[in-house]
Amino acid sequence: MQEEPLRTPELVGVTLALDAIAVEVVAALDEAGIANLLVKGPAVARWLYDAPGERPYDDVDLLVREPDLPRAEQTVRGLGFRFVHDDWHGRVWIRGPVNLDLHRRLPGVQADPAIVFSRLYRDAVPLELGRG
């Protein structure tokens, strides 16, 4: 049985909740001195789509340097997230109904993850979300 797609008010609520959590986690990582990038989700939605809701997302995806992953995990654990599983590109954490993916590499990208992070981070621009 396929789930019914979210209607606009529900989609807006989910999006705002995810954006607020992204702001919370990014602020905590920044405070801990851990460079990070918000990838997928709102970054792609705002970059490639004209209207909110055209590209829904259902989790928060952050890219960190692989050597920083243990400290990033300690930080999100301190925010109440619990570890769920590991895969080749990152580690999934959950708090309540929210999935947080801490990526060490991006799916589909074959280049060295350290080079990918450095180049993306160098060219990154701030993204204003609902709460920050």
Side-chain angles (χ1 to χ4, degrees), residues 72-105:
E73 292 181 320
Q74 181 180 9
T75 301
V76 300
R77 187 178 290 112
L79 295 174
F81 286 87
R82 101 182 138 72
F83 175 73
V84 178
H85 73 87
D86 189 8
D87 59 35
W88 71 271
H89 61 81
R91 294 172 59 91
V92 177
W93 293 75
I94 192 166
R95 184 175 76 187
V98 175
N99 279 5
L100 168 68
D101 295 351
L102 288 177
H103 291 269
R104 56 181 161 248
R105 61 182 52 94

Side-chain angles (χ1 to χ4, degrees), residues 22-33:
V23 169
E24 174 190 9
V25 174
V26 165
L29 292 172
D30 286 348
E31 186 162 320

Side-chain angles (χ1 to χ4, degrees), residues 51-75:
E54 279 188 280
R55 203 267 183 197
Y57 45 96
D58 59 4
D59 64 358
V60 175
D61 295 277
L62 294 170
L63 180 64
V64 298
R65 290 182 180 103
E66 190 155 11
D68 292 334
L69 192 57
R71 288 189 319 119
E73 292 181 320
Q74 181 180 9
T75 301

Side-chain angles (χ1 to χ4, degrees), residues 5 9 11 14 20 39 41 45-46 67 73 88 103 124:
L11 185 60
V14 168
V39 294
R46 305 240 174 121
E73 292 181 320
W88 71 271
H103 291 269

